[in-house]
């Protein structure tokens, strides 16, 4: 990463202010990605968790990762300025955001998880004996993640998202808060956030077991394809959980409060 002087960062921040949100060391990393979606790529690169730990201030996250915050802020703003075509989900309707999540991220998981499981089984057959120390813990964490996500997606699609959409329709029509089978919307949201933390923990275990997805020298093409697929799964899941934890859920809680 090229060095960026403090004054350059200041100028970039000032230039950016009119168009969007000021980014400082105190800005929670989840809020940074909510306003600047391309920041997700920067955080992925430095392994800064912006979804399950979206409330940590940018400065704290940078120091923990051994990075100078001003350089990371500069990189985020550069990337964001280059990509102003990215959709700002903080201003879309909640229904649009829910449809986007289901049609992209849920669809991705339904497509990728079975394919990755098949690839994993193939790799275990060929390399399980020699690389059991890596593949056994990887397999346990992956299968637990897949099982959890299968039911998680259903809960969101069948229970939570339809209620968020009903709330939004009622709010627009200036009607009363529609009844729900689970009381406050905070209840299912709390459960989904808990499941997101569990998914984040399993992803970390997978990364640890594989030494950051390092393919061994005797690893075959399928081994490499498995690890590349798991890295893509991790990145997509981080973006997916971010959209829910940091944008959809807080806005849905705000919508419910607006009925009072
Ligand atoms: Fe989801
Ligand atoms: Fe979710």
């Amino acid at each position: 990463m090229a060095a960026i002087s403090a004054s350059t960062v200041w100028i970039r921040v000032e230039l950016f202010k009119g168009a969007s949100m000021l980014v400082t060391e105190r800005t929670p990393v989840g809020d940074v990605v909510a306003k600047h979606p391309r920041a997700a790529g920067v955080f992925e690169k430095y392994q800064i968790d912006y979804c399950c730990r979206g409330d940590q201030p940018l400065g704290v996250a940078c120091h923990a990762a051994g990075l100078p915050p001003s350089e990371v802020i500069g990189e985020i703003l550069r990337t964001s300025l280059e990509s102003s075509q990215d959709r700002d989900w903080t201003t879309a309707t909640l229904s649009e955001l829910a449809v986007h999540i289901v049609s992209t991220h849920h669809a991705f998981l339904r497509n990728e998880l079975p394919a990755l499981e098949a690839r994993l089984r193939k790799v275990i057959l060929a390399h399980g004996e020699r690389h059991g120390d890596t593949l056994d813990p990887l397999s346990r964490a992956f299968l637990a993640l897949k099982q959890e996500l299968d039911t998680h997606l259903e809960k969101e699609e069948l229970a939570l998202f339809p209620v968020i959409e009903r709330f939004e329709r009622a709010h627009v029509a200036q009607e009363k808060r529609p009844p729900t089978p689970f009381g406050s919307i905070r209840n299912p949201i709390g459960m989904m956030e808990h499941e997101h933390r569990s998914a984040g923990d399993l992803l970390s275990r997978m990364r640890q077991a594989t030494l950051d997805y390092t393919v061994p020298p005797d690893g075959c093409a399928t081994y490499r394809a498995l690890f590349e697929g798991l890295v893509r799964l991790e990145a997509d899941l981080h973006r997916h959980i971010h959209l829910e934890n940091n944008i959809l859920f807080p806005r849905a809680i705000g919508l419910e409060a607006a009925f009072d």
Side-chain angles (χ1 to χ4, degrees), residues 152 156 196 240 244:
H152 180 84
E156 288 181 341
H196 290 166
H240 174 182
E244 293 173 353

Side-chain angles (χ1 to χ4, degrees), residues 50-71:
Y50 63 91
C51 50
C52 291
R53 301 195 57 210
D55 57 352
Q56 60 178 336
L58 178 61
V60 173
C62 288
H63 287 305
L67 300 162
S70 61
E71 292 196 7

Side-chain angles (χ1 to χ4, degrees), residues 101-102 105-106 109 152-153 156-157 161 196 237 240-241 244 249:
I101 288 170
V102 172
H105 297 293
H106 288 200
L109 287 172
H152 180 84
L153 302 186
E156 288 181 341
E157 290 173 21
F161 290 3
H196 290 166
L237 207 44
H240 174 182
I241 293 174
E244 293 173 353
F249 295 169

Side-chain angles (χ1 to χ4, degrees), residues 13-131:
V13 169
E14 287 304 298
L15 279 173
F16 209 72
K17 244 163 109 178
S20 195
M21 181 184 78
L22 184 69
V23 175
T24 73
E25 288 191 32
R26 287 193 301 278
T27 311
V29 289
D31 289 0
V32 175
V33 181
K35 271 292 178 188
H36 308 292
R38 290 285 178 98
V42 177
F43 290 152
E44 290 291 341
K45 185 167 85 177
Y46 299 124
Q47 292 185 33
I48 290 174
D49 181 352
Y50 63 91
C51 50
C52 291
R53 301 195 57 210
D55 57 352
Q56 60 178 336
L58 178 61
V60 173
C62 288
H63 287 305
L67 300 162
S70 61
E71 292 196 7
V72 176
I73 290 173
E75 191 173 354
I76 288 168
L77 296 182
R78 270 200 316 280
T79 315
S80 293
L81 283 167
E82 286 162 9
S83 63
S84 50
Q85 76 278 10
D86 271 356
R87 179 94 190 245
D88 177 0
W89 290 109
T90 61
T91 55
T93 68
L94 297 189
S95 308
E96 282 176 308
L97 177 52
V99 166
H100 167 74
I101 288 170
V102 172
S103 64
T104 57
H105 297 293
H106 288 200
F108 172 85
L109 287 172
R110 289 204 167 97
N111 192 52
E112 282 300 298
L113 289 170
L116 285 169
E117 183 180 354
R119 213 174 288 163
L120 175 63
R121 291 194 188 285
K122 221 166 140 183
V123 169
I124 289 173
L125 265 183
H127 300 272
E129 226 163 275
R130 192 187 287 251
H131 294 296

